[in-house]
Amino acid sequence: MMIETHAHIYADQFKKDIGEVLERGREEGISKIYMPNIDHTSIDGMMELEEKHPDLCVATMGLHPCSVKGDFQKELYIIEKWLSKREFVAIGEMGTDLYWDKTFIDQQVEAFKIQVAWAKQYEKPIIIHCRESLDMTIDLVEQLKEDNLTGVFHCFNGSVEQAERIHKLGFYIGLGGVVTFKNSGMDEVIPELNMSHVVLETDSPYLAPVPYRGKRNEPSYLKMVAQKVADLRQVAVEEIEATTTRNANLLFKVQS
């Protein structure tokens, strides 16, 4: 069994065949799919999917950094209202992004700090997005770290040194389709990782692994990520599946 720790399967790309997508995931051994929120526009679709498939789909609540604009306080107000209304397993997807647009980076940092405060208040892990901003985001977490703060740096494609900083914080690393990309450099990093803090993800519908690179990603492709990690570490794929499943349950505080 495997746990998909990061998939936006409520996205428009899945509207026509979500049933088949979920079934393929089950067939490949996916026992749980965690769905990070983006902003107010994604909440209804995410909640509907969780309601229809409560045994498989789990919603989290947060504000994605690419949705942080001049009016981000309005977005955060909606997130805060949901967090006070019902329980969520994590705060996210949240973080920083210097890839698309640097205009609102100060606001991204402010939104990050506010959501970290909520994570501490509710004692929930955070799901961190940090595209082209990994060092900056690790620095932020180091500044804000307290004993009850944990989470995952999703879509990790950093160095061994960055991974060690994350591990020292007690945070997890999310590995996805990027590990299968020829020039990602992850073939040198993965053998050196401390596997006690690694989880698997797809980031569906984005970043599909080879041989589906450039096409729509889906949770069933998690098997390819697990296999690639196993190959690079020269262990059986079952070992990777078992370790990352245990880690995901610890991350999201699931009693197993």
Side-chain angles (χ1 to χ4, degrees), residues 44-91:
D44 288 349
M46 180 179 68
M47 294 301 194
E48 184 180 342
L49 209 49
E50 184 188 60
E51 188 176 349
K52 286 182 177 178
H53 307 277
D55 62 320
L56 184 63
C57 300
V58 183
T60 79
M61 185 54 63
L63 178 62
H64 193 290
C66 292
S67 292
V68 172
K69 308 297 181 186
D71 63 346
F72 76 100
Q73 291 94 342
K74 292 179 182 177
E75 287 281 356
L76 285 178
Y77 175 76
I78 295 169
I79 303 301
E80 185 177 27
K81 204 169 180 183
W82 273 102
L83 289 171
S84 67
K85 193 187 307 187
R86 53 153 278 184
E87 185 151 346
F88 290 90
V89 297
I91 312 290

Side-chain angles (χ1 to χ4, degrees), residues 181-234:
F181 297 175
K182 189 175 181 181
N183 298 317
S184 68
M186 294 302 289
D187 55 331
E188 296 179 6
V189 175
I190 286 173
E192 304 299 322
L193 292 180
N194 185 324
M195 289 301 294
S196 68
H197 276 66
V198 172
V199 295
L200 301 181
E201 60 171 68
T202 63
D203 199 19
S204 298
Y206 315 108
L207 297 173
V210 173
Y212 298 104
R213 188 174 182 180
K215 299 180 180 179
R216 184 190 73 173
N217 202 359
E218 62 175 69
S220 65
Y221 297 166
L222 196 66
K223 188 82 172 181
M224 297 167 197
V225 177
Q227 186 64 61
K228 185 64 176 180
V229 174
D231 291 346
L232 290 170
R233 293 186 66 87
Q234 298 182 322

